[in-house]
């Protein structure tokens, strides 16, 4: 099946995501154009959007104008970048000057700031075609939007970057922006057969999202090349967060780089991973061993054991850090709209109200200890590997609970740790369990994003996806 096909389940042997970089030579020789490419994307959206429901807003007129301008640049031999003419979706947590930014809540219906977030402005400067805003959960937290999984509409696409993950899985566009504070890029990307990156903390300027001390902006894509090129063009233009050095790396993705050793990260996820998923992951690890990669686990070195202990409460750390930092926004919203927030969001506010400044200081100390333990294992291996979720995408009505928070879009037990650490993580569509996609993530030390992409390339080239 292709990315544009109707939902019939997921088979990694036949699924072909939509990609952009391979179309660029045709733009250059005149046998294809960015406008024609955009029109093909719009055809897929028209066919699949009634069920997938991944878009909040589409700016078709603006996108066509931008695609025509890109077409003229290619004709003149003056393309702005490797992503000139690429249609991209923007998670509806990020500002766009030509579309509303509703943040997944009716409280902001039609809200228009007339401004671009730093990342969006950088994409426009690179010639990208900003096609529309993708669905997010309520305020980027737990309460879901209307989006369904592109491989089975009875299942969630994950969250909070629900629409951004789904538009890639459905073959609607080659790339989309997501954000992550706990697991909002990596988990939905895994559920929807994306290749996606949560970069190093601060590597991409977050614009108006600087209020969270561990939020990240990342990229959902059909493959590693498009993923890296979108990330690079943002990072090279917008820089990183204030006080951060930004993204390191080159415009061209790193070549495949074989790791000598990888640490298998268990985190909080391993104890609650479903048996079929655990077995599929073990088969994948077997392929890595057969290829000559040494795999280390927590029992193999006391530093790894110390690291696993340090990240063992990452879900609770995220809950408390995010709750305390979000409280002031929620208090203002409740004052303006006393009944406007979901039960899930009100429960988060209740938890935040119970926290003191001393509680916040203590949880920041826990986070810092986890980061130090992570740095200590850096010399032991070339990176880490783990699952991207505890199982395939659950049914939409799922309401798993952990640490006092209801997770309606899947449990982020494998994601909270990398958000706490601020480390780069790339999820790869390497597993299929019960006919649904499931990701495997590789993880690197802070600011090793480019090298991690080379490691990820080797993994994709060297192992066969596992079907369970």
């Amino acid at each position: 099946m292709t990315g544009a096909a109707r939902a019939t389940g997921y088979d990694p042997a036949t699924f072909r995501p939509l990609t952009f970089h391979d179309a660029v030579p045709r733009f250059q020789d005149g046998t294809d154009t960015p406008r024609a490419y955009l029109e093909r994307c719009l055809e897929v959206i028209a066919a699949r959007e009634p069920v997938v429901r991944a878009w909040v807003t589409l700016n078709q007129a603006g996108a066509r104008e931008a695609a025509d301008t890109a077409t003229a640049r290619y004709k003149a031999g003056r393309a702005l970048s490797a992503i000139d003419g690429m249609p991209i979706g923007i998670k509806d947590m990020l500002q766009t000057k030509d579309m509303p930014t509703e943040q997944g809540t009716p409280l902001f219906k039609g809200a228009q700031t007339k401004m671009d977030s730093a990342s969006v402005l950088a994409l426009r400067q690179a010639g990208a075609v900003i096609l529309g805003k993708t669905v997010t959960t309520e305020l980027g937290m737990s309460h879901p939007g209307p989006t369904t999984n592109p491989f089975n509409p009875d299942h969630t696409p994950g969250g909070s970057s629900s629409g951004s993950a789904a538009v890639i899985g459905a073959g609607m566009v080659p790339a989309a922006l997501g954000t992550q504070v706990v697991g909002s890029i990596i988990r939905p990307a895994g559920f929807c057969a994306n290749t996606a990156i949560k970069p190093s903390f601060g590597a991409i300027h977050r614009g108006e999202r600087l209020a969270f001390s561990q939020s990240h902006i990342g990229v959902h894509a059909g493959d590693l090349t498009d993923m890296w090129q979108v990330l690079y063009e943002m990072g090279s233009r917008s820089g990183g967060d204030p006080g951060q050095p930004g993204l390191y790396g080159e415009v061209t993705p790193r070549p495949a780089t074989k790791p000598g050793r990888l640490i298998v990260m268990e985190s909080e996820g391993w104890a609650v991973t479903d048996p079929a998923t655990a077995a599929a992951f073990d088969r994948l690890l077997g392929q890595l061993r057969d290829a000559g990669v040494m795999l280390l686990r927590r029992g193999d070195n006391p530093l790894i054991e110390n690291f696993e202990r340090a990240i063992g409460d990452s879900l609770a750390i995220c809950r408390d850090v995010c709750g305390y930092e979000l409280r002031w926004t929620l208090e203002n919203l409740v004052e303006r709209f006393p009944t406007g927030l979901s039960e899930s969001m009100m429960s988060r506010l209740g938890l935040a109200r119970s926290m003191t400044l001393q509680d916040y200081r203590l949880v920041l100390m826990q986070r810092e200890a986890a980061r130090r333990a992570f740095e200590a294992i850096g010399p032991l291996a070339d990176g880490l590997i783990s699952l991207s979720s505890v199982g395939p995408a659950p049914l939409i009505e799922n309401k798993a609970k952990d640490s006092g928070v209801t997770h309606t879009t899947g449990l982020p037990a494998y994601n909270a740790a990398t958000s706490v650490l601020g480390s780069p993580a790339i999820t790869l569509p390497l597993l299929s369990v019960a006919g649904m996609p499931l990701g495997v993530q590789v993880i690197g030390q802070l600011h090793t994003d480019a090298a991690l992409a080379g490691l990820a390339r080797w993994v994709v080239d060297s192992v066969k996806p596992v079907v369970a």
Side-chain angles (χ1 to χ4, degrees):
M1 112 181 199
T2 66
R6 296 292 178 181
T8 57
Y10 175 69
D11 181 354
T14 56
F15 176 69
R16 297 292 179 269
L18 181 64
T19 52
F20 182 81
H21 64 91
D22 47 353
V24 170
R26 298 194 296 276
F27 301 159
Q28 294 168 334
D29 68 19
T31 57
D32 195 6
T33 66
R35 175 60 185 270
Y37 188 101
L38 171 65
E39 293 301 329
R40 295 194 294 272
C41 290
L42 292 173
E43 289 174 4
V44 176
I45 292 169
R48 300 212 60 187
E49 177 62 8
V51 174
V52 179
R53 303 176 71 187
W55 298 92
V56 181
T57 306
L58 285 169
N59 183 5
Q60 296 190 34
R64 285 179 167 128
E65 181 179 351
D68 285 342
T69 303
T71 295
R73 286 193 292 266
Y74 278 104
K75 186 176 180 179
R78 294 198 298 267
L80 295 175
S81 74
I83 63 168
D84 197 351
M86 177 190 281
I88 295 181
I90 307 297
K91 184 178 179 179
D92 200 27
M93 295 299 296
L94 302 173
Q95 293 181 118
T96 45
K97 65 182 180 182
D98 50 357
M99 289 173 276
T101 303
E102 299 179 353
Q103 300 183 55
T105 172
L107 306 184
F108 296 142
K109 183 71 175 176
Q112 194 133 1
T113 66
K114 305 292 185 179
M115 295 176 63
D116 278 337
S117 190
S119 55
V120 176
L121 178 59
L123 291 176
R124 292 192 202 273
Q125 291 173 344
V129 175
I130 307 303
L131 177 53
K133 305 298 286 289
T134 57
V135 171
T136 179
T137 58
E138 179 191 33
L139 299 178
M141 291 295 170
S142 299
H143 189 66
T147 308
T148 64
N149 192 289
F151 297 96
N152 186 329
D154 294 331
H155 291 253
T156 178
S160 62
S161 302
S162 309
S164 292
V167 296
I168 302 302
M172 294 177 176
V173 288
L177 296 194
T179 66
Q180 177 163 318
V181 181
V182 184
S184 294
I185 294 172
I186 297 298
R187 188 179 70 264
F191 286 167
C192 296
N194 298 181
T195 298
I197 185 168
K198 178 197 78 65
S200 291
F201 174 75
I204 303 298
H205 196 301
R206 289 175 288 159
E208 68 278 11
R209 288 193 56 78
L210 290 168
F212 280 114
S213 66
Q214 63 182 47
S215 68
H216 305 68
I217 290 178
V219 180
H220 299 254
D223 76 346
L224 281 162
T225 299
D226 287 346
M227 180 203 80
W228 179 259
Q229 290 178 337
V230 172
L231 190 75
Y232 177 84
E233 296 301 337
M234 282 194 299
S236 64
R237 285 171 167 78
S238 69
D241 287 338
Q244 297 290 334
L247 180 74
Y248 291 97
E250 306 80 29
V251 61
T252 304
R254 295 274 178 93
T257 306
K258 180 180 178 179
R261 292 185 288 184
L262 290 174
I263 294 169
V264 180
M265 186 184 79
E266 294 184 3
S267 71
E268 297 163 280
W270 192 247
V272 291
T273 298
D274 76 65
T277 297
F281 184 53
D282 277 341
R283 287 168 57 191
L284 189 85
L285 294 179
Q287 292 188 57
L288 293 174
R289 288 191 203 93
D290 292 343
V293 178
M294 178 181 291
L295 300 177
L296 304 175
R297 290 185 179 266
R298 62 190 306 165
D300 294 324
N301 189 295
L303 289 176
I304 301 175
E305 176 62 30
N306 181 62
F307 164 70
E308 290 282 7
R309 290 177 183 272
I311 63 170
D313 291 322
S314 293
L315 281 167
I317 291 173
C318 289
R319 176 202 65 198
D320 293 344
V321 168
C322 295
Y324 192 84
E325 293 170 353
L326 184 63
R327 177 179 173 184
W328 320 118
T329 296
L330 297 183
E331 295 284 15
N332 278 289
L333 288 175
V334 167
E335 183 177 344
R336 290 175 59 197
F337 310 102
T339 61
L341 296 175
S342 69
E343 180 183 344
S344 170
M345 193 62 73
M346 289 303 296
S347 71
R348 287 182 182 273
L349 178 56
L351 288 168
R353 283 171 169 168
S354 70
M355 288 184 64
T356 65
L357 177 58
Q358 185 64 25
D359 293 330
Y360 182 61
R361 288 169 177 162
L362 288 171
V363 76
L364 290 181
M365 290 172 63
Q366 283 183 274
R367 187 171 73 179
E368 187 62 23
R371 292 176 177 179
R372 299 290 79 77
F374 181 57
E375 288 178 4
I377 64 171
L380 301 180
D382 299 297
L384 286 69
I385 188 168
S386 81
L387 288 159
S388 298
S389 59
V390 300
L395 294 169
I396 283 178
E397 63 266 24
N398 167 71
K399 292 185 185 295
K401 275 198 173 185
D402 186 271
S403 300
V405 174
T406 300
H407 297 287
T408 55
T409 59
L411 185 65
Y414 281 109
N415 318 121
T418 60
S419 292
V420 163
L421 300 171
S423 59
I426 297 174
T427 184
L428 306 167
L430 294 176
L431 303 179
S432 175
V433 177
M436 295 294 287
L438 199 150
V440 171
Q441 61 179 334
V442 291
I443 300 157
Q445 292 287 326
L446 196 65
H447 300 307
T448 63
D449 306 66
L452 185 66
L455 188 156
R457 174 76 68 187
W458 182 87
V459 172
V460 168
D461 291 347
S462 303
V463 304
K464 294 182 179 179
V466 175
V467 178

